[in-house]
Amino acid sequence: MNQTIFEPWNDPNEKPLIQFKNVTKRFGDFTAIDDQTFDIFEREFFALLGPSGCGKTTMMRMLAGFETPTQGQIILAGQDIAPIPPNKRAVNMMFQSYALFPHLSVWDNIAFGLKRDGMTRDAIGDRVAEMLKLTRLEKFAQRKPHQISGGQRQRVALARSLAKAPKLLLLDEPLGALDAKLRQDTQFELMDIQETTGTTFVIVTHDQEEAMTVASRVAVMDHGKIIQADTPQTIYEAPVSRYVADFIGDVNMITGTAKARNPGSEPQGDPTPPSMQPPEKRDDAASGTPQRLDPQPNDAGRWLHDKVLKFVLGPRSDAPKRLPPPDPTRDAPLASAQATPQPVEAAPGGLEIHWHEGAPPLIASNGDPALDGQTVTLSLRPEKMSISKTRPDAPNVLHGKVVDIAYLGNISTYHVELPDGLKIKAQATNTRRVSQRDITWEDDVWISFRDTAGVVLVE
Amino acid sequence: MRRFTWFNATSLTLGFAFLYLPMVLLIIYSFNDSKLVTVWAGFSTKWYGELLRNDAFLDAAWVTVQVAFVSSTVATVLGTMAAYVMVRAGRFAGRTLFSGMIYAPLVMPEVITGLSLLLLFIGIGLDRGVFTIILAHTTFSMCYVSVVVSSRLVSFDRSLEEAALDLGCSPMQAFRLVTLPIIAPAVFAGWLLAFTLSLDDLVIASFTAGPSSTTLPIKIWSSIRLGVSPEINALSTLMIAVVAVGVITASLVTKRSALRQEADQRAAERA
Ligand SMILES: Nc1ncnc2c1ncn2[C@@H]1O[C@H](COP(=O)(O)OP(=O)(O)O)[C@@H](O)[C@H]1O
Ligand SMILES: [Mg+2]
């Protein structure tokens, strides 16, 4: 495995910086955090993502020491932090409201925590100067918080929480108050600072784009539970549930009855090269899916592997694993709206999904045949769908009418209504000028996608 | 929209007349040359001179200022602590009782408060004097302070305190370094309120004062029983002047700093 990739959560020898062990937090009889167990590793940029009220802030406040878990343990660097008061923790927090001290200058705000540590005046001066430089606030050192702009205030709050060089920095919706452009700049700034200082960041946000941009791992939360914690790519490409698929980005969901397909005569062994194998999950709140969703070799394939390929590819891991991250070459959209689609044969095996009476079933060759007979949802990202005016030759083809076009500059999203009323979104890159594009409102179009474009979800 | 109507003008005039006519009369007659209060005999400032030579009044004024200063300061400390506990402590057994009991003296008739304090001082054998007036004034002005301070604390952003804890302060340090400087204007307003309440209190002071400790209101009250003298008019005019200067300065200062803050903020957003 490539050593330069930062993924300590896949390394069983790595010791986590933070461990939540069956942590439950109740306010009265309301359960804000529901029996959560997960790890955060050193130098991670861990994002908590979820709708308002799902318990993100509560999670942070337990780490900072302003709330204590009702049950369970939080371990920081090997030590149970329950008995440690907030002012003794090597954790600093950047508050949602910034919480700058209005009666102190920018300089004094940043120096505030250092003075409590009993550092010498010179050392404090040096450290504050360093922080001012890092956040480009040198010119504003003597101003009061009300004398600087929102973006600068946010940087003061960041500088203040970084000044003590905490092991762990908590950021509660740090960019909520900024406008879109400033927000983006600041996101990159945050990532830079995180890399330069090597601090572990936990960020709370309800903005999925922000989480995807900055985080090494994203934890999608709902009602006090982490539903899935994984890299942005995996969350996006291989969500474990409809909730996650729907929460992150745009998605089309087609529900129907699954039916196992004929596995075909050409066993494939293990088609995934070792570097593409998602390693086994460590204990993680995003509980592994109960059924095997990943493709399994049949007996012949197993034989072929054990007798021949093993010596080339190494031993086969038989442990349950997530859906493999999709192969970019296989999953690229068949063609853009303008290009001529290329004929593609569906791979054997997997599932077909009977979603509508009379319509041909959709083929998902990456579906788990064990789901035969169950009601499943095929989740499809709009950018994996192609749209064209002539019927393309593809494993999955849907026919409908364009009802809406959202022009977003670099891409356009076409809303296509199928005969049964289902609306499907398909995206195409705008490689040509508007006048040369030929698909418009009310056009009859064909939507096509590969047999591996979607993800089959059961819950 | 027409701002001026005869109705508005009349009600404004009547209202202000109602409020200020007595005071204006008092000020005018303090400059009366005649000893008879109701007869105008020309302009003079001689009663102000008389006042400065009247030791009884000066002594009473000194007692009053001492009492007001000490009692309002002690009341501010106690009242702020009580307010902090009430707003911050969240739920604890007897919280409602505690907050109700703090506010009770606000609505208690002063005569009752005075009488009960008198009984207490007699009961424990405390000689009445400056000290007992201070105790009494502290008792009743403390709840005013706690009302003023707790209304500020309710809107105080709690995350400021949490930020202080987060940065390594003990709870005590957080209060001293963050909470107190920020709520200082409310604490000062509470102190000012306690100070003026103590300055003009007649009822409770009469119950708790001893023969050697007469406050200014008691002195004025007892001397007008012998007839209103121009000297008292002069004294009252001085008190009005002091209060007016205080109030106007305070409001100018707040207004100026609010305007400056606004200007700063706008400048910062533009930059
Ligand atoms: N101190 C508290 N007392 C009672 N309920 C609380 C308290 N703090 C948070 N909650 C509740 O817990 C839930 C989660 O809150 P929070 O963690 O702030 O959500 P988020 O930050 O994800 O929006 C909310 O429903 C909120 O009402
Ligand atoms: Mg929140």
Side-chain angles (χ1 to χ4, degrees):
Chain A
M1 194 168 283
N2 192 341
Q3 281 306 306
T4 58
I5 296 175
F6 176 76
E7 36 189 36
W9 50 91
N10 286 331
D11 182 356
N13 299 321
E14 192 78 34
K15 267 180 80 81
L17 178 67
I18 306 163
Q19 289 173 284
F20 274 67
K21 291 189 171 171
N22 299 97
V23 172
T24 297
K25 174 71 190 175
R26 290 194 199 91
F27 295 108
D29 47 13
F30 174 80
T31 306
I33 300 295
D34 192 1
D35 191 21
Q36 292 303 288
T37 300
F38 64 95
D39 297 338
I40 299 174
F41 293 85
E42 207 153 316
R43 304 179 77 93
E44 254 206 273
F45 204 138
F46 192 86
L48 291 169
L49 177 63
S52 184
C54 69
K56 307 180 296 289
T57 298
T58 307
M59 208 80 114
M60 295 285 232
R61 291 175 59 81
M62 287 195 290
L63 280 170
F66 303 126
E67 308 280 1
T68 40
T70 315
Q71 275 159 24
Q73 272 186 318
I74 302 174
I75 313 261
L76 175 68
Q79 194 184 8
D80 184 354
I81 53 173
I84 307 175
N87 50 333
K88 300 265 159 47
R89 293 189 184 185
V91 174
N92 283 130
M93 178 149 168
M94 179 176 163
F95 289 76
Q96 193 162 0
S97 56
Y98 305 156
L100 297 181
F101 305 128
H103 58 297
L104 299 179
S105 68
V106 166
W107 197 95
D108 283 315
N109 262 284
I110 299 174
F112 191 90
L114 302 172
K115 287 182 182 166
R116 305 285 86 70
D117 282 354
M119 285 168 71
T120 64
R121 280 170 123 236
D122 290 345
I124 292 176
D126 291 348
R127 182 68 181 159
V128 174
E130 196 182 324
M131 286 295 118
L132 287 169
K133 184 146 173 281
L134 183 72
T135 48
R136 292 182 279 118
L137 285 165
E138 294 104 322
K139 274 192 288 180
F140 307 102
Q142 294 316 317
R143 300 252 190 113
K144 289 279 178 65
H146 72 264
Q147 292 169 319
I148 54 179
S149 70
Q152 290 157 353
R153 256 175 252 166
Q154 180 262 327
R155 296 213 295 272
V156 177
L158 183 63
R160 187 180 69 179
S161 48
L162 274 172
K164 294 185 78 168
K167 270 189 207 152
L168 172 65
L169 183 66
L170 307 171
L171 306 130
D172 193 355
E173 307 213 7
L175 314 182
L178 305 185
D179 57 60
K181 180 76 178 69
L182 194 54
R183 224 178 142 97
Q184 258 184 6
D185 293 348
T186 317
Q187 283 166 6
F188 287 110
E189 222 169 280
L190 271 184
M191 290 158 74
D192 266 359
I193 290 175
Q194 198 256 349
E195 258 165 49
T196 357
T197 60
T199 310
T200 308
F201 278 27
V202 177
I203 188 173
V204 159
T205 173
H206 61 254
D207 176 352
Q208 48 107 357
E209 241 177 76
E210 184 168 296
M212 306 283 278
T213 308
V214 299
S216 58
R217 275 194 306 162
V218 177
V220 181
M221 291 184 66
D222 186 28
H223 287 113
K225 285 193 155 114
I226 292 183
I227 310 293
Q228 185 175 9
D230 232 317
T231 59
Q233 282 107 312
T234 313
I235 293 255
Y236 186 81
E237 303 281 354
V240 294
S241 74
R242 276 195 284 248
Y243 176 82
V244 176
D246 198 26
F247 199 84
I248 308 281
D250 249 350
V251 72
N252 296 300
M253 303 228 211
I254 303 175
T255 304
T257 311
K259 194 162 172 295
R261 291 173 76 225
N262 188 348
S265 52
E266 280 272 304
Q268 289 192 304
D270 194 338
T272 330
S275 67
M276 291 302 291
Q277 284 184 15
E280 296 160 36
K281 281 290 156 217
R282 302 158 58 89
D283 60 337
D284 201 320
S287 54
T289 37
Q291 284 95 359
R292 301 293 306 268
L293 289 180
D294 49 337
Q296 293 296 308
N298 58 15
D299 290 340
R302 237 179 273 266
W303 180 88
L304 184 68
H305 181 276
D306 292 345
K307 294 280 178 274
V308 184
L309 295 176
K310 189 165 100 183
F311 309 102
V312 185
L313 300 175
R316 208 181 76 85
S317 153
D318 209 21
K321 56 196 173 198
R322 295 281 177 77
L323 281 178
D327 181 341
T329 52
R330 272 165 65 93
D331 287 349
L334 288 170
S336 69
Q338 291 81 18
T340 30
Q342 290 170 8
V344 172
E345 274 299 307
L351 292 171
E352 50 186 41
I353 297 166
H354 296 262
W355 61 282
H356 183 55
E357 199 76 34
L362 300 175
I363 297 169
S365 60
N366 55 355
D368 181 1
L371 294 173
D372 186 45
Q374 290 191 40
T375 303
V376 296
T377 298
L378 185 63
S379 118
L380 292 152
R381 299 290 181 191
E383 72 276 9
K384 305 242 183 338
M385 324 275 274
S386 300
I387 183 166
S388 58
K389 287 182 84 168
T390 51
R391 190 191 162 110
D393 192 6
N396 293 300
V397 177
L398 298 166
H399 184 232
K401 191 157 53 162
V402 176
V403 290
D404 216 346
I405 303 173
Y407 175 71
L408 301 172
N410 52 346
I411 53 168
S412 288
T413 305
Y414 297 87
H415 295 238
V416 177
E417 189 172 297
L418 305 185
D420 70 333
L422 191 68
K423 286 210 182 79
I424 298 285
K425 283 176 264 183
Q427 263 169 9
T429 316
N430 294 329
T431 46
R432 300 193 196 180
R433 310 289 301 269
V434 178
S435 53
Q436 291 157 331
R437 261 175 260 136
D438 56 351
I439 297 176
T440 182
W441 284 269
E442 301 297 317
D443 275 357
D444 266 347
V445 290
W446 298 90
I447 286 183
S448 55
F449 51 93
R450 284 178 185 262
D451 50 323
T452 51
V455 178
V456 180
L457 301 172
V458 277
E459 44 183 306
Chain B
M1 191 175 70
R2 239 161 45 117
R3 297 302 275 303
F4 183 89
T5 64
W6 283 111
F7 177 76
N8 284 354
T10 316
S11 32
L12 205 65
T13 315
L14 279 179
F16 272 106
F18 195 77
L19 282 174
Y20 288 105
L21 204 56
M23 274 191 239
V24 171
L25 275 181
L26 183 128
I27 293 170
I28 290 173
Y29 278 111
S30 75
F31 294 105
N32 191 355
D33 199 26
S34 159
K35 192 162 177 61
L36 294 171
V37 172
T38 48
V39 181
W40 182 256
F43 181 85
S44 154
T45 54
K46 71 175 181 194
W47 301 114
Y48 289 88
E50 290 281 309
L51 188 64
L52 289 180
R53 281 186 292 276
N54 187 331
D55 281 341
F57 273 134
L58 291 182
D59 285 348
W62 176 232
V63 169
T64 308
V65 169
Q66 275 178 304
V67 168
F69 189 82
V70 177
S71 73
S72 60
T73 306
V74 177
T76 302
V77 173
L78 294 178
T80 304
M81 274 159 55
Y84 193 78
V85 170
M86 269 191 310
V87 175
R88 281 284 178 272
R91 288 156 186 278
F92 59 89
R95 181 177 193 274
T96 322
L97 186 69
F98 179 68
S99 60
M101 276 167 60
I102 281 190
Y103 295 133
L106 286 179
V107 290
M108 192 77 77
E110 288 192 341
V111 176
I112 309 282
T113 313
L115 186 63
S116 55
L117 283 164
L118 176 62
L119 286 178
L120 174 73
F121 294 147
I122 292 173
I124 61 174
L126 201 56
D127 277 343
R128 278 174 292 149
V130 174
F131 182 63
T132 49
I133 310 178
I134 290 176
L135 280 185
H137 281 185
T138 306
T139 313
F140 88 91
S141 55
M142 171 191 140
C143 54
Y144 288 88
V145 175
S146 88
V147 169
V148 173
V149 174
S150 65
S151 73
R152 174 67 185 87
L153 277 175
V154 166
S155 66
F156 182 86
D157 181 5
R158 222 175 143 182
S159 57
L160 290 176
E161 258 167 36
E162 289 178 341
L165 292 179
D166 191 61
L167 292 166
C169 280
S170 67
M172 199 57 223
Q173 279 177 319
F175 180 78
R176 191 165 51 82
L177 296 169
V178 174
T179 315
L180 197 55
I182 295 172
I183 64 167
V187 173
F188 181 69
W191 182 85
L192 213 56
L193 182 64
F195 191 83
T196 44
L197 282 172
S198 167
L199 270 191
D200 76 355
D201 168 68
L202 174 62
V203 178
I204 291 177
S206 328
F207 276 101
T208 50
S212 62
S213 56
T214 310
T215 65
L216 212 46
I218 297 179
K219 184 74 196 158
I220 293 174
W221 174 245
S222 56
S223 55
I224 59 160
R225 275 187 295 187
L226 310 170
V228 181
S229 76
E231 244 179 319
I232 291 185
N233 286 348
L235 177 65
S236 312
T237 304
L238 285 180
M239 285 173 82
I240 291 175
V242 168
V243 170
V245 167
V247 168
I248 291 170
T249 321
S251 70
L252 279 184
V253 167
T254 13
K255 180 118 193 239
R256 268 252 308 274
S257 72
L259 281 179
R260 183 158 0 106
Q261 183 142 346
E262 222 170 88
D264 283 348
Q265 216 141 9
R266 248 179 288 126
E269 296 301 339
R270 248 185 289 117

